[in-house]
Amino acid sequence: MGEIKKREWALKLAILGDPAVGKTSLINKYITDSFKENYQPTLGVNIVSKYMRLEEFNYKIRLLLWDIAGQNKYELTRQSFFQGCVGALLVYDMTRYSTFEQITIKWLEDFKKFSRSDGAYILIGNKSDLKDSIKVSSEEGKLLSQQINAAEYIETSAKYGENVEKAFKKLVLHILGKSKINHELD
Ligand code: G3D
Ligand code: MG
C-alpha cells in the first residue's frame, strides 16, 4: 500500500465502579475539563465521545466512554453495556474501603464475564486529594493491581484533574499495544 491514509478507530471503554466513586466526574474532567460540585446520580447509561490525539499513531482515535448508571438499570443492560468493550477503568474511592473490595467482587468479575477476553483494564484509586480521609493505601492499590493483572495502578483526583488525562491515555496505549493494530502500522 503506497499512500498513508488517516483512519479512524473507535474504542469502546467502560468506566466501572461503585456509586459515587467519581466515574462521572472523571469523565467530565477528561472531556470538558470541568468538575461539578453537585452530585447527580447517573440515570441509565451515559455514553460520551471524545477524540484522542496520539502522536505515535497515524490513526484518529475516537473514544466512546460508557458510564454506568444506577445499579438496577445496569443489571438490565449489562449485555449491551459490555458488548464490544475493549477496555475499562476500574474505579474505587480511596476514602471508602468497601468500594475497593467491590473491584474484585463485582466490577472485574463483570468485565471479565461480559466483555472481550483480551480487554485491558487499569485500576484507579480516585479522590487522592482527600488526604486526611484515605482508607486504602497506595501499597494496597498497587498490590491489588498486580493480583488482578491490571495494566496499571493510577491514583487520580477528578476534582483537581490530577492524573486524569494520563489514566485515559495509558488505557488506550495498552489497548493498542495488545491489539493487532500495531502490526498493521509496521
Ligand atoms: P459516580 O459517577 O461514580 O457515581 P460522581 O460519582 O462522579 O457523581 O461523584 C460522586 C461524588 O464524589 C461527588 O460529590 C463528586 O463531586 C465527588 N468526587 C468525585 N471525584 C472526586 C475527587 O477526585 N475528589 C473529591 N474530593 N471528590 C470527588 P458530591 O459531594 O457532590 O456527592
Ligand atoms: Mg455517575
Side-chain angles (χ1 to χ4, degrees), residues 52-70:
M52 175 183 263
R53 305 218 159 274
L54 287 175
E55 313 285 302
E56 302 91 321
F57 295 92
N58 195 36
Y59 277 66
K60 227 174 146 182
I61 295 166
R62 187 162 160 239
L63 304 183
L64 299 168
L65 306 176
W66 284 54
D67 181 16
I68 304 184

Side-chain angles (χ1 to χ4, degrees), residues 12 66 77-86 114-116:
K12 177 175 167 180
W66 284 54
T77 56
R78 219 151 30 165
Q79 211 70 28
S80 54
F81 188 88
F82 284 108
Q83 194 168 37
C85 188
V86 293
F114 295 108
S115 75
R116 291 162 54 125

Side-chain angles (χ1 to χ4, degrees), residues 93-148:
D93 175 346
M94 294 182 78
T95 70
R96 283 185 295 143
Y97 207 87
S98 62
T99 67
F100 179 66
E101 292 172 326
Q102 286 300 312
I103 293 289
T104 13
I105 296 171
K106 180 171 171 75
W107 303 111
L108 179 65
E109 175 101 355
D110 267 16
F111 182 70
K112 290 204 158 162
K113 211 188 300 172
F114 295 108
S115 75
R116 291 162 54 125
S117 55
D118 62 345
Y121 44 91
I122 284 184
L123 182 64
I124 301 286
N126 187 44
K127 309 198 188 180
S128 62
D129 56 285
L130 296 174
K131 303 251 183 280
D132 296 338
S133 324
I134 300 282
K135 299 284 188 317
V136 187
S137 71
S138 302
E139 287 68 33
E140 284 174 289
K142 264 178 233 151
L143 188 64
L144 179 64
S145 78
Q146 289 162 4
Q147 285 167 348
I148 65 175

Side-chain angles (χ1 to χ4, degrees), residues 26-58:
L26 285 166
I27 292 174
N28 285 345
K29 190 71 190 174
Y30 180 58
I31 299 278
T32 63
D33 205 21
S34 72
F35 180 84
K36 274 198 198 152
E37 289 292 343
N38 293 328
Y39 172 46
Q40 294 193 316
T42 318
L43 300 169
V45 174
N46 264 355
I47 306 163
V48 290
S49 142
K50 181 181 165 101
Y51 280 101
M52 175 183 263
R53 305 218 159 274
L54 287 175
E55 313 285 302
E56 302 91 321
F57 295 92
N58 195 36

Side-chain angles (χ1 to χ4, degrees), residues 159-186:
K159 183 163 186 172
Y160 296 106
E162 202 186 352
N163 284 339
V164 173
E165 183 145 10
K166 179 179 165 186
F168 285 96
K169 188 167 180 180
K170 287 264 184 185
L171 179 59
V172 169
L173 287 174
H174 277 287
I175 292 163
L176 297 180
K178 276 184 149 194
S179 78
K180 284 195 251 112
I181 196 165
N182 268 357
H183 307 298
E184 286 173 22
L185 290 169
D186 281 345

